[in-house]
Every structure is written in structure tokens, then in C-alpha cells.
Amino acid sequence: MANKSSNNLVVPNAREAMDKFKMEAANEVGVNLKNGYNGDITARQAGSVGGQMVKKMIEAYENGLK
């Protein structure tokens, strides 16, 4: 079985939009991300960015249902 990364986007051109979305979410929760490698942030900070992204995606989905 091939070891396929789950970090691949379905639409490769969406990388820039996802990076922008991640930076916006990080800014909202007060995490200072930089372009490129961010291995110096804590797991708590990374989790708060990911959590904020999920929260915003759920809100967008719910607003789309209305």
C-alpha cells in the first residue's frame, strides 16, 4: 500500500487560498505565523489555529444552508 500524504489538496491551485485562510485564522487567535516553516510554535498554538479554521469552515457551511 502506498504511503499517501493526507496533506494534499484536491485542487492544487487552492494552496495559496488555504495559506491565506490559515494566516487569517492565526491572526484571529493571536498566533504569529510566518510564511514557510513554523516548527517553532507550540502544539497548543498550532491546535488553536487549526481549531479556528474548523470553526470558520463550520460557520461558513451553516450560513450556506440558510
Side-chain angles (χ1 to χ4, degrees):
M1 179 179 213
N3 189 6
K4 186 176 179 184
S5 173
S6 64
N7 199 23
N8 293 330
L9 295 175
V10 175
V11 181
N13 297 341
R15 173 72 55 203
E16 185 177 326
M18 286 301 292
D19 287 342
K20 182 180 177 200
F21 180 52
K22 179 172 48 176
M23 296 301 261
E24 289 173 3
N27 189 32
E28 290 172 4
V29 295
V31 175
N32 186 21
L33 288 183
K34 53 192 170 293
N35 289 326
Y37 180 72
N38 284 289
D40 56 339
I41 66 172
T42 66
R44 180 179 295 256
Q45 290 171 316
S48 66
V49 172
Q52 181 69 7
M53 291 174 72
V54 170
K55 179 181 175 183
K56 290 179 65 117
M57 286 186 275
I58 291 170
E59 287 173 357
Y61 176 78
E62 288 175 342
N63 289 336
L65 292 177
K66 295 178 183 175

